[in-house]
Amino acid sequence: MLTLVLPLTEAEGPNPLLPHTAEIIFGFVFLILLAIAFAKFVVPRFEKAYADRTAAIEGGMDAAKRAQAEAKAALDKYNAQLGEARQEAAKIREDAREQGALIIAEMREQASTEADRIVTHARTQIDAERTQAVASLRREVGTMATTLASRIVGESLEEEARQRRTVERFLADLESSESARQAVGTDG
């Protein structure tokens, strides 16, 4: 079955879908008052919060820019100090090399001087020992030559003057024959 819905007439009663006129007017007035109160109290707070947030963000960006500039300045200063420290370290190393070279030169000079002194002392000592050995050898050779000559000649060479002359003559002959032998050895 089909039923048709026909509009109600006033006799039948109020339409539940349509609000009363007084409610519409009251709702409209309340909406206007709510909009005015919202515009007067809530919107300014939102605007203030938005402005504060914007200022904080811009201030933060400015602070970040300042901090970045300070960090860049500090980095430049650090790099400059690092460059100076490297130059100073290179200079210190060069000075140390120069001082090392000077110390080595001084030590070599001292070693050379000490070696010369030792060689001179050794030569002096060798000369003294050779002179002492030659004198001792002359005495012994003189005594042996005198004894041998006494036996060969058959006379006594005990007199000191005669003995000294004989020894000196013998040594002179011995030295001349030694120098002649050396001259022949170097020529040949």
Side-chain angles (χ1 to χ4, degrees):
M1 300 206 113
L2 271 204
T3 51
L4 271 200
V5 177
L6 295 174
L8 293 174
T9 59
E10 290 197 26
E12 295 180 9
N15 186 356
L17 294 177
L18 291 175
H20 293 290
T21 330
E23 286 181 2
I24 292 175
I25 293 173
F26 179 72
F28 186 69
V29 170
F30 183 72
L31 183 63
I32 290 175
L33 288 176
L34 186 63
I36 291 172
F38 194 81
K40 189 170 186 170
F41 296 111
V42 175
V43 170
R45 288 187 185 198
F46 277 127
E47 289 293 327
K48 185 177 183 283
Y50 176 74
D52 290 345
R53 175 73 84 183
T54 303
I57 290 171
E58 288 175 357
M61 288 180 6
D62 290 341
K65 286 179 184 177
R66 281 193 306 270
Q68 188 176 11
E70 289 174 5
K72 186 175 188 312
L75 179 64
D76 292 341
K77 182 179 177 183
Y78 169 75
N79 286 336
Q81 287 175 345
L82 185 61
E84 289 174 6
R86 285 182 180 155
Q87 289 175 351
E88 188 175 336
K91 184 179 182 229
I92 290 171
R93 280 193 302 269
E94 186 62 32
D95 289 346
R97 280 189 202 115
E98 289 174 4
Q99 287 178 355
L102 287 173
I103 289 170
I104 289 172
E106 287 176 6
M107 295 304 271
R108 283 184 180 159
E109 184 177 329
Q110 287 177 356
S112 175
T113 304
E114 184 67 19
D116 290 344
R117 186 189 65 78
I118 289 171
V119 166
T120 303
H121 178 69
R123 284 186 182 153
T124 304
Q125 189 174 3
I126 289 171
D127 287 344
E129 288 176 2
R130 185 175 39 133
T131 303
Q132 190 178 27
V134 166
S136 173
L137 188 60
R138 281 184 182 218
R139 278 192 308 269
E140 287 180 25
V141 168
T143 305
M144 287 173 33
T146 306
T147 307
L148 183 61
S150 296
R151 288 185 188 164
I152 292 174
V153 174
E155 63 183 69
S156 173
L157 297 174
E158 294 297 327
E159 290 181 26
E160 193 156 325
R162 200 186 306 166
Q163 193 177 28
R164 216 179 277 145
R165 280 188 304 238
T166 306
V167 169
E168 287 176 9
R169 194 176 42 218
F170 177 74
L171 289 176
D173 290 343
L174 186 63
E175 285 178 3
S176 65
S177 66
E178 179 69 28
S179 38
R181 220 180 305 135
Q182 284 178 356
V184 170
T186 55
D187 290 340

